[in-house]
Amino acid sequence: MLELILCSLLTILPDYLFRRFVQGKRIGREITFFSVWYELRWGITGCLILTLLLITTIFYFHPSTTSATSAFRTVPVLPETNGRVAEIFVQRRDTVQKGEPIFRLDSTEEQAALELAKRRVAEVDAQIVMAKADINVAEGELQQAEYAAKQVSDELAVKQQLFDQKSGTVSARELERLQTALTGAEGQVAAARASKNAAEIKVSTLLPAEKASSEAALKQAQVNLDKTTVYAGVSGQLEQFVLQVGDIVNPLMRPAGILIPSDEGPRRLQAGFDQIEAGVLKPGMAAEATCVAKPLEIIPLVVTGVQDYIAAGQLRAGEQLVDVAQISKPGTLLVSLEPIYAGGLDGMTPGSNCIVNAYTSYHAELQDPNLGTFQRFGMHAIDTIALVHAMILRVQALFIPIQTLVLGGH
């Protein structure tokens, strides 16, 4: 309507003034209801054409959308394993802090596995103590074998000397017996030394490895036990938390509730614009919004990001080929906006629907001295007609309470 009124001031009004004051035609006589079209046909036609061009220019260079919302993140409350609820620590709509327990699953099996792992660690510790005792035993047997071998060796040396002196008191058969006894004694020394080395290797290598494996199994059992208690990953408020003791919770099928984080950083709006405006929307553009949750208020914004792809075109691998013709509804261009001033979105309920206008500005381009006259005029005109769109947004902000409370039937 504003565009039509503006265009009529440039077309229909001059046409009427010419016919009224120059040609002398009067309303009710020469200009009647039936002759309006014929008399003002050039002005009406020019007004309609100019209105269409003006509306097209405004909505292209200063895009608008009603698909805008203050998006917020939700975190599903899920355990890492299946189980039956044994204990609940909070209630629905409670505010929880990060790391606070929410509920606990039945942990009988995990506690048994943990106790078994502890017993295994204690068993390995006992084996280490026994292995150290075996080292002492092997040391004693080695010393005994070495002493016996030395005794046989000394006796053999003495009798060999007597045999060499041909004293007649030592026979060759006795020397052979002592030589055999010495070989056996040396074998016992080697066996005792090997037994000692085996015991030392068992203490230094085998049992520590077994203990490390047992301690790892103990830690794994403790981790599995800890998984039975679900903690809050972030601070926030619990919603749709209707869990009861005895319920079965499955991380793939049934979450326990939803946690809405309380600290999401700077608030922002997510808006979906038509695809035709992809060439106009750029980061850094100025924008304005009016939201249902904050009626009669205009929020200055700035475009901080434009998604490089449209979600409607995404494909997911499946059993059948996708026919593009099945994607009948065109997707929108996702744009992120943040308030220019700190706290601009404070007090607005997350998820509220908003109307957003973005404004193209050629202020930087107009500083170029080499810019042509027609280009300069066109850029000035585009920047100027943004005022019309800004006025429309303010009219919409005034009309939102009436449309919602009165015309909406509430």
Side-chain angles (χ1 to χ4, degrees):
M1 181 60 70
L2 291 176
E3 293 89 346
L4 184 61
I5 294 174
L6 179 63
C7 293
S8 66
L9 296 177
L10 303 175
T11 54
I12 298 178
L13 182 61
D15 189 279
Y16 167 76
L17 294 177
F18 174 78
R19 299 183 186 280
R20 175 68 182 85
F21 296 103
V22 176
Q23 295 183 350
K25 297 179 180 181
R26 292 168 295 176
I27 297 177
R29 294 192 177 186
E30 293 83 358
I31 303 177
T32 64
F33 179 78
F34 298 100
S35 64
V36 166
W37 164 249
Y38 181 79
E39 296 292 343
L40 303 179
R41 61 187 181 278
W42 297 109
I44 294 175
T45 303
C47 179
L48 293 176
I49 294 175
L50 189 59
T51 300
L52 291 176
L53 292 176
L54 182 60
I55 292 175
T56 302
T57 304
I58 290 176
F59 280 92
Y60 179 75
F61 288 100
H62 309 292
S64 176
T65 181
T66 58
S67 301
T69 184
S70 174
F72 60 95
R73 187 169 67 97
T74 60
V75 180
V77 179
L78 290 170
E80 296 186 39
T81 182
N82 302 336
R84 188 179 298 275
V85 178
E87 188 177 3
I88 299 176
F89 305 105
V90 296
Q91 299 296 327
R92 186 173 68 90
R93 297 191 62 82
D94 279 356
T95 299
V96 297
Q97 301 300 321
K98 181 178 180 180
E100 183 178 346
I102 299 178
F103 65 92
R104 182 180 63 83
L105 301 177
D106 180 55
S107 58
T108 304
E109 183 178 352
E110 288 77 10
Q111 288 177 348
L114 179 63
E115 186 64 25
L116 180 61
K118 290 180 179 179
R119 293 292 180 266
R120 178 56 183 163
V121 173
E123 180 182 349
V124 174
D125 289 337
Q127 290 180 1
I128 292 176
V129 174
M130 291 298 297
K132 290 180 178 179
D134 291 341
I135 292 176
N136 296 330
V137 173
E139 178 68 27
E141 291 178 350
L142 176 61
Q143 291 179 0
Q144 184 178 2
E146 289 177 344
Y147 176 78
K150 185 176 183 306
Q151 186 177 6
V152 174
S153 176
D154 293 344
E155 185 177 358
L156 176 61
V158 170
K159 291 191 176 184
Q160 181 68 42
Q161 184 179 6
L162 292 175
F163 181 79
D164 293 340
Q165 292 176 358
K166 298 179 180 181
S167 60
T169 59
V170 179
S171 64
R173 178 63 181 170
E174 188 174 1
L175 289 178
E176 292 178 1
R177 181 183 61 79
L178 291 175
Q179 185 67 42
T180 302
L182 178 62
T183 302
E186 289 176 348
Q188 291 179 355
V189 171
R193 184 174 289 109
S195 177
K196 178 183 177 183
N197 292 337
E200 290 176 346
I201 292 174
K202 186 176 182 180
V203 171
S204 62
T205 304
L206 179 60
L207 291 179
E210 291 184 359
K211 183 176 181 180
S213 299
S214 301
E215 290 176 344
L218 176 62
K219 291 180 180 179
Q220 181 63 45
Q222 183 65 52
V223 169
N224 292 336
L225 179 61
D226 294 340
K227 286 181 179 180
T228 60
T229 302
V230 178
Y231 299 89
V234 295
S235 300
Q237 182 173 325
L238 279 173
E239 294 290 347
Q240 300 180 11
F241 187 77
V242 294
L243 204 62
Q244 299 294 329
V245 175
D247 290 350
I248 298 294
V249 181
N250 190 320
L252 299 179
M253 297 177 60
R254 185 187 176 188
I258 295 176
L259 181 62
I260 301 178
S262 57
D263 186 11
E264 281 292 284
R267 299 286 298 278
R268 64 186 63 191
L269 291 180
Q270 302 288 335
F273 288 87
D274 292 333
Q275 298 181 24
I276 195 173
E277 294 153 352
V280 178
L281 290 164
K282 305 293 181 184
M285 288 181 63
E288 290 181 326
T290 180
C291 301
V292 178
K294 297 184 73 174
L296 306 179
E297 184 173 344
I298 302 298
I299 305 172
L301 303 169
V302 61
V303 176
T304 57
V306 179
Q307 191 166 273
D308 296 333
Y309 43 85
I310 296 174
Q314 62 182 319
L315 297 178
R316 179 178 296 176
E319 299 178 355
Q320 297 179 349
L321 293 176
V322 177
D323 188 354
V324 180
Q326 295 177 355
I327 308 177
S328 57
K329 185 178 180 181
T332 57
L333 189 66
L334 181 62
V335 177
S336 299
L337 306 103
E338 293 184 6
I340 294 179
Y341 304 106
L345 296 177
D346 290 350
M348 185 175 68
T349 304
S352 175
N353 189 37
C354 302
I355 302 173
V356 175
N357 284 357
Y359 303 107
T360 299
S361 175
Y362 289 105
H363 177 75
E365 288 80 354
L366 288 172
Q367 307 302 318
D368 186 3
N370 299 323
L371 201 63
T373 302
F374 289 102
Q375 290 180 314
R376 189 178 297 276
F377 175 78
M379 290 180 179
H380 273 297
I382 292 173
D383 286 353
T384 302
I385 60 177
L387 179 63
V388 178
H389 216 180
M391 293 174 59
I392 295 175
L393 182 65
R394 281 151 178 80
V395 172
Q396 290 174 318
L398 292 173
F399 192 66
I400 283 177
I402 300 175
Q403 183 180 16
T404 303
L405 302 176
V406 181
L407 301 181
H410 297 286

